[in-house]
DNA sequence: AGCAAAATTAACTGATAAGTACATTTACAC
DNA sequence: GTGTAAATGTACTTATCAGTTAATTTTGCT
């Protein structure tokens, strides 16, 4: 099942960003919907081209839809209706529904990676550095439920879109490198106990941060506990940092 | 629910004898349960009723489909085709697609709750009891990815089916009661440090157990680390128990 | 034996959703 | 200006899907 229809004839390869190498100058776009006149004639539908803007418009709208309804539940027609452009353009720029989803996913991963790169924990002592990294990770997940939900969706689909995305593979191990570095310093300082695998540290931090968002709804239903409430979130943040700290300390 | 014990049990699948597709004819219905005669002929239009069996058949098939494709991605026709009964019966017993999904979900929750109930950790000392509970939880998740995936799917849908299920609400807090009891004993014995909320212990155990299954695919893609591999799983199990132990110990 | 309720079957339907055909307009290079 | 490729709009097609209709058979009961 789920075969690719492969319509044939023309294959759009148009994934170029801006045709002009210029910086994205946000041109002011008049509503590009042409409206029909009362007499049935249509107004000389005048519109300004804005490929990059259209692309971004589609991407943002699509993200909301995929986040809310998953890949199978998302409706291309609904996305089209909520953009200021038409369904045709979705297929023009992204090929098909999965191509659109893939683009959304890649953008989401790019987001967290960018922030991670800007983290500089070198000035902090190992224990504080690890606590800061944990706090940052926890906050990023809590502040970006869209990202969390996209990853959930992708895992439901066995991450097969990550697998076929050229943009994501392997570049992400920077997170683990960072932990490895902090852990190494902690060992030297004698404040961390030896024998811990950096991957385990990463998995622990990620799991505790991710779960708090991903399973918020079911926890709420089953236990009546609202992890999204500001107070609960802060308490939990503390607890997570504490847990990670205890985990590595001598 | 039918209460009548099932009379004759035969797990027989039959090929769908397509009766030449003529329109609106009084039909001969060779059934899935019509059995082959000794001479190889099949008795026409004969089947044994087995409501309970049919129900279970549908439920099991549906679970596989929902687990694999989520609620929106699941196809009622596909479920029907894979049962030994027909689509009509799905609607007969479960009302609609969501009713079927809800039944699958309820069954999944009932499964873990039943096992939890049978856990008796009273004989163990607090530290060992908590370690045992953690190990059990970790193993249950790893051994039942279906359950994990259903919970993921349900969270994508904001747990609105849990919310409307009469069978699930509030009954599940036994898990936290168990932890509260262990934690209390640990405090008395002076082996656990005070000031920890039992909910945090539960969330930590659950998160670490859940994530290892729920995010297995994306972790594999992004970090090239296979958490499902037996060796990795066992190592991780150790680490999780260790983390939880450290978390509560003085 | 006969009847009503429960169980089961095959075929049908209306809606919807992904994807396409094709015309039209804009932007830009010369 | 004009030709052309990129960008965009409108309307359509085709498959699929959740849910139904209506007939038929089984079964428990009296």
């Amino acid at each position: 099942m789920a075969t690719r229809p492969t319509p044939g004839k023309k294959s759009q390869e148009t994934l170029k960003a801006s045709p002009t190498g210029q910086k994205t100058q946000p041109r002011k776009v008049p509503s590009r919907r042409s409206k029909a006149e009362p007499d049935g004639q249509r107004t000389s539908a005048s519109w300004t081209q804005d490929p990059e803007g259209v692309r971004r418009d589609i991407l943002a709208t699509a993200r909301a839809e995929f986040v809310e309804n998953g890949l199978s539940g998302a409706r291309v027609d609904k996305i089209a209706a909520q953009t200021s452009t038409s369904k045709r353009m979705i297929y023009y720029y992204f090929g098909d529904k999965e191509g659109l989803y893939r683009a959304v996913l890649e953008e989401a991963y790019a987001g967290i990676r960018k922030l991670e790169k800007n983290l500089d924990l070198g000035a902090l002592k190992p224990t504080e550095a690890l606590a800061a990294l944990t706090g940052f990770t926890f906050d990023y997940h809590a502040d970006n439920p869209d990202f969390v939900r996209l990853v959930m969706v992708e895992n439901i689909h066995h991450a097969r879109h990550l697998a076929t995305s050229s943009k994501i593979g392997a570049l992400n191990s920077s997170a683990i490198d960072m932990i490895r570095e902090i852990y190494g310093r902690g060992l030297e300082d004698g404040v961390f106990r030896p024998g811990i695998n950096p991957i385990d540290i990463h998995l622990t931090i990620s799991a505790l941060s991710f779960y708090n968002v991903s399973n918020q709804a079911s926890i709420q239903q089953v236990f009546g506990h609202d992890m999204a409430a500001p107070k609960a979130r802060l308490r939990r943040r503390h607890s997570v940092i504490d847990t990670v700290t205890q985990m590595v300390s001598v």
Side-chain angles (χ1 to χ4, degrees), chain A:
Chain A
M1 287 298 295
T3 61
R4 318 213 63 227
T6 317
K9 311 207 155 185
K10 60 198 221 166
S11 53
Q12 285 297 346
E13 288 292 331
T14 326
L15 285 184
K16 273 187 58 123
S18 60
T20 76
Q22 292 176 322
K23 268 309 189 50
T24 51
Q25 193 89 286
R27 282 170 259 181
K28 271 316 117 221
V29 183
S31 169
R32 55 175 70 77
R33 285 267 147 92
S34 55
K35 25 199 168 131
E37 290 291 287
D39 58 6
Q41 298 265 34
R42 77 178 57 261
T43 55
S44 57
S46 175
W47 36 268
T48 343
Q49 287 188 185
D50 182 13
E52 199 51 31
V54 167
R55 238 187 101 93
R56 269 202 306 272
D57 183 11
I58 294 174
L59 261 186
T61 310
R63 178 171 64 204
E65 174 74 0
F66 285 125
V67 159
E68 189 53 32
N69 301 105
L71 174 52
S72 327
R75 296 291 165 248
V76 176
D77 283 302
K78 201 166 150 210
I79 294 171
Q82 286 170 0
T83 58
S84 55
T85 182
S86 70
K87 178 159 73 155
R88 178 68 185 79
M89 297 314 290
I90 293 175
Y91 288 94
Y92 184 69
Y93 283 115
F94 300 98
D96 59 9
K97 188 183 177 183
E98 294 217 353
L100 178 57
Y101 168 77
R102 187 174 286 111
V104 167
L105 190 66
E106 284 168 353
E107 195 192 45
Y109 267 92
I112 187 172
R113 211 158 46 205
K114 186 177 171 188
L115 276 193
E116 256 171 6
K117 274 241 157 76
N118 287 350
L119 262 189
D120 184 16
L121 306 171
L124 299 176
K125 284 194 278 193
T127 303
E128 280 81 40
L130 190 61
L133 176 62
T134 303
F136 163 80
T137 305
F138 186 90
D139 288 337
Y140 186 85
H141 283 76
D143 290 335
N144 295 274
D146 279 16
F147 171 72
V148 171
R149 288 174 64 86
L150 283 174
V151 175
M152 292 165 76
V153 168
E154 180 59 6
N155 272 290
I156 285 291
H157 291 275
H158 301 288
R160 72 166 199 270
H161 308 91
L162 281 181
T164 59
S165 167
S166 51
K167 294 188 181 179
I168 297 179
L171 213 83
N172 237 34
S173 59
S174 68
I176 292 196
D177 289 339
M178 205 180 310
I179 290 176
R180 194 188 322 269
E181 188 267 339
I182 296 173
Y183 181 61
R185 286 199 286 130
L187 283 184
E188 281 173 22
D189 293 6
V191 295
F192 291 171
R193 61 195 166 102
I196 301 178
N197 192 328
I199 286 199
D200 276 319
I201 302 177
H202 170 76
L203 290 179
T204 301
I205 296 173
S206 282
L208 296 176
S209 300
F210 194 95
Y211 184 87
N212 239 54
V213 181
S214 66
N215 287 44
Q216 188 265 328
S218 64
I219 292 289
Q220 164 92 285
Q221 289 307 321
V222 174
F223 296 104
H225 176 69
D226 182 10
M227 302 194 295
K231 224 175 134 182
R233 170 180 159 174
L234 208 61
R235 229 183 30 72
R236 184 69 188 140
R237 184 182 194 275
H238 241 107
S239 173
V240 167
I241 292 178
D242 218 57
T243 299
V244 174
T245 302
Q246 294 282 332
M247 173 193 183
V248 298
S249 296
V250 287

